[in-house]
Amino acid sequence: AELEYCKRLGLKGVCLGVFPSGKGYPPPEDDRLWAAAVQMKLPLTVHVGFDRLGPRASQPTFEYPGVSPDILQKIGARKLVVWVAVPFLGTAPSMSFAQLILSGVFDRFPTLKLFFAETRLGWVPFWMEEADYWYERHRHWAARLLNFKPLKQKPSEYVQEHIFFSVQHVERVAIELRHHMGVERIMFATDFPHIECDWPNTRPFAERLFAGVPADEAFKIGAGNMLSFFGLEDSPMGKKVRARVKT
């Protein structure tokens, strides 16, 4: 109902602070919102990661339906979702990625896209590599003991197909590794007017960030991907930006 209300208002995206259910992990009831977002073509965004502070900090990171409590107790905290979140255990985005991927959200909703803003980006290719390694290493016992349903793809492939990122400051490492995530998945940000913003020197910072990047890729990261993700290509701003690029 809230998504429908946002859609009627003409909003171009919705920011989720927590999982739709309000829990610290993604339960099956969240699927109603994922399905509605896909049906309405309403972009979903997340600021850094899904909130797991306060009361949610004591909640589990994942739900394993039908598993014996004795088995869960014997395995302890280092369950599959934690291994896949390694080596960035404790950081909101890596845990959020692992929770979404392992819960099968993207298998059930293959066209669902989420934009994770202000996560930093240079670490993501390394995490993707590690996530694939740890998933493959632990998925078999998780399926046997925790009723875990194997994924259709590697964790890194879900990131490349479903998750968008922002890049800001002079994150040159992120730009140099851009093809690991996919150029179409990265959006330039300034974080104005927060302390991380480089204003009034945004342009020279951007020029250093995009130095040596082909013009077509720089445009996608600088504006094109944002226009496409939020459906703004035919807006006055979108037309103005594309007209300037053509000239």
Side-chain angles (χ1 to χ4, degrees):
E2 193 69 16
L3 286 185
E4 291 172 352
Y5 175 66
C6 292
K7 186 74 172 181
R8 290 197 303 271
L9 289 178
L11 300 182
K12 297 301 182 181
V14 171
C15 183
L16 300 177
V18 297
F19 286 107
S21 62
K23 296 181 179 179
Y25 58 93
E29 52 262 37
D30 285 354
D31 282 4
R32 291 182 58 199
L33 187 132
W34 307 134
V38 169
Q39 191 275 327
M40 285 185 267
K41 297 182 179 179
L42 190 61
L44 300 179
T45 73
V46 181
H47 180 235
V48 183
F50 291 109
D51 187 340
R52 297 197 72 254
L53 302 175
R56 298 182 188 87
S58 61
Q59 294 183 357
T61 56
F62 204 70
E63 193 174 47
Y64 300 94
V67 177
S68 167
D70 292 338
I71 292 180
L72 292 177
Q73 186 174 7
K74 288 180 180 179
I75 294 174
R78 303 288 280 185
K79 298 181 180 68
L80 181 62
V81 70
V82 175
W83 282 111
V84 173
V86 167
F88 295 93
L89 179 60
T91 60
S94 64
M95 177 57 74
S96 296
F97 299 166
Q99 290 174 302
L100 284 170
I101 291 169
L102 294 178
S103 65
V105 168
F106 299 124
D107 282 341
R108 295 192 297 277
F109 303 98
T111 60
L112 179 66
K113 314 288 184 185
L114 289 97
F115 169 40
F116 279 78
E118 207 174 354
T119 64
R120 303 299 182 266
L121 191 52
W123 61 273
V124 173
F126 177 54
W127 179 84
M128 290 163 60
E129 185 176 66
E130 288 286 298
D132 287 352
Y133 172 79
W134 290 111
Y135 171 72
E136 186 61 32
R137 192 177 183 90
H138 294 282
R139 67 183 179 90
H140 300 287
W141 68 258
R144 186 175 71 255
L145 298 178
L146 300 175
N147 294 337
F148 173 74
K149 295 182 179 180
L151 302 173
K152 296 179 181 179
Q153 297 176 271
K154 297 178 181 178
S156 64
E157 293 173 333
Y158 292 104
V159 173
Q160 291 170 325
E161 295 178 15
H162 298 275
I163 298 179
F164 290 70
F165 302 91
S166 62
V167 63
Q168 57 193 68
H169 317 310
V170 186
E171 288 189 75
R172 280 297 301 180
V173 170
I175 291 298
E176 291 166 5
L177 298 175
R178 62 192 180 277
H179 294 290
H180 289 273
M181 289 82 70
V183 173
E184 293 76 14
R185 297 287 181 264
I186 306 172
M187 308 181 204
F188 176 67
T190 66
D191 205 34
F192 182 86
H194 294 172
I195 193 171
E196 295 183 13
C197 178
D198 300 312
W199 185 89
N201 299 306
T202 305
R203 183 176 292 277
F205 269 84
E207 289 174 349
R208 277 180 275 173
L209 181 68
F210 291 111
V213 177
D216 61 330
E217 294 185 7
F219 172 74
K220 289 179 180 179
I221 296 173
N225 294 336
M226 180 275 295
L227 296 175
S228 175
F229 182 81
F230 290 103
L232 297 171
E233 298 100 325
D234 295 325
S235 68
M237 177 184 65
K239 293 178 180 179
K240 182 177 181 181
V241 170
R242 289 190 295 172
R244 290 185 62 181
V245 172
K246 291 180 180 180
T247 58

